[in-house]
Amino acid sequence: MFEPVQENPYPDTYTLGEGPDPHPLLAPVLPLIGRWHGRGRGEYPTLEEDFRYEQELTFSHDGRPFLRYEARAWLIDGSGSPVRPAGREAGWWRVTPDAGLEVVLAHPTGIAETYVGRVSDTEIEIETKDVSLTPRAKEVTGTRRHYALGGEEMTVTHDMAAVGQPLQHHLTAHLRRRPS
């Protein structure tokens, strides 16, 4: 029948100092590793009204030269109570030897994006190189993201060009590192 399955011998590490040593190429993005949580606001010309949301980001590694990334968000009402699930995405961040970034993200809504960008001290800027859409996905033609790190806090801004609109502000979230 089936042979016994052992537990994954190479689990992802969410905390520096635990698990395998991070690959040396990850040095510029090591401050991202961990679990982040916070609130944000969103807007876009095609939406009837602005919205508030909570978000969780996780960055982890398994010793190889890339980060695993996942983001989940849910809409909240004026009192901060959850209303419904919102955006979700997962992917991989690779650092090049010159501190460049190559990022691949996939969304359950039928959108896959490749990004290129740069890491500069506590600032990370990535912009889409390519966007692929499934036949029923919402039209997105480009995005740009900025990550600003300050100790245990991170601000993420997200600009988007979609559904006939030019690249413009869409989301801003203020996150704090969660204890492991």
Side-chain angles (χ1 to χ4, degrees):
M1 297 274 286
F2 294 103
E3 301 214 9
V5 177
Q6 70 177 11
E7 192 163 322
N8 180 353
Y10 307 104
D12 282 352
T13 299
Y14 297 89
T15 306
L16 293 175
E18 294 180 10
D21 289 335
H23 192 281
L25 282 176
L26 294 180
V29 294
L30 288 180
L32 291 172
I33 293 175
R35 301 173 195 274
W36 301 83
H37 183 259
R39 289 190 173 172
R41 295 186 78 78
E43 62 186 349
Y44 208 68
T46 59
L47 299 175
E48 289 183 27
E49 59 186 32
D50 298 354
F51 58 92
R52 296 177 60 208
Y53 64 97
E54 284 195 34
Q55 185 173 38
E56 291 179 340
L57 300 182
T58 58
F59 290 90
S60 61
H61 77 94
D62 65 5
R64 292 182 285 171
F66 53 82
L67 296 179
R68 184 175 72 89
Y69 164 84
E70 184 175 3
R72 299 178 78 154
W74 52 97
L75 298 180
I76 58 174
D77 64 20
S79 67
S81 296
V83 174
R84 67 174 174 80
R88 191 162 186 181
E89 59 192 21
W92 308 97
W93 290 47
R94 296 187 323 161
V95 182
T96 63
D98 64 350
L101 281 176
E102 298 176 345
V103 177
V104 177
L105 298 181
H107 307 258
T109 55
I111 301 167
E113 302 162 308
T114 59
Y115 289 83
V116 293
R118 304 237 20 106
V119 180
S120 176
D121 195 29
T122 60
E123 306 280 324
I124 298 169
E125 186 90 31
I126 59 175
E127 190 163 350
T128 48
K129 180 181 180 305
D130 296 298
V131 179
S132 294
L133 306 170
T134 61
R136 294 185 185 214
K138 174 178 70 175
E139 178 205 27
V140 174
T141 55
T143 63
R144 179 175 50 226
R145 299 177 187 214
H146 181 259
Y147 299 79
L149 293 157
E152 300 299 301
E153 297 183 3
M154 179 188 332
T155 299
V156 181
T157 57
H158 184 172
D159 300 335
M160 180 173 70
V163 291
Q165 299 292 315
L167 187 68
Q168 61 194 288
H169 181 262
H170 178 43
L171 305 168
T172 299
H174 302 284
L175 312 172
R176 292 188 61 79
R177 186 185 305 275
R178 285 204 135 153
S180 295

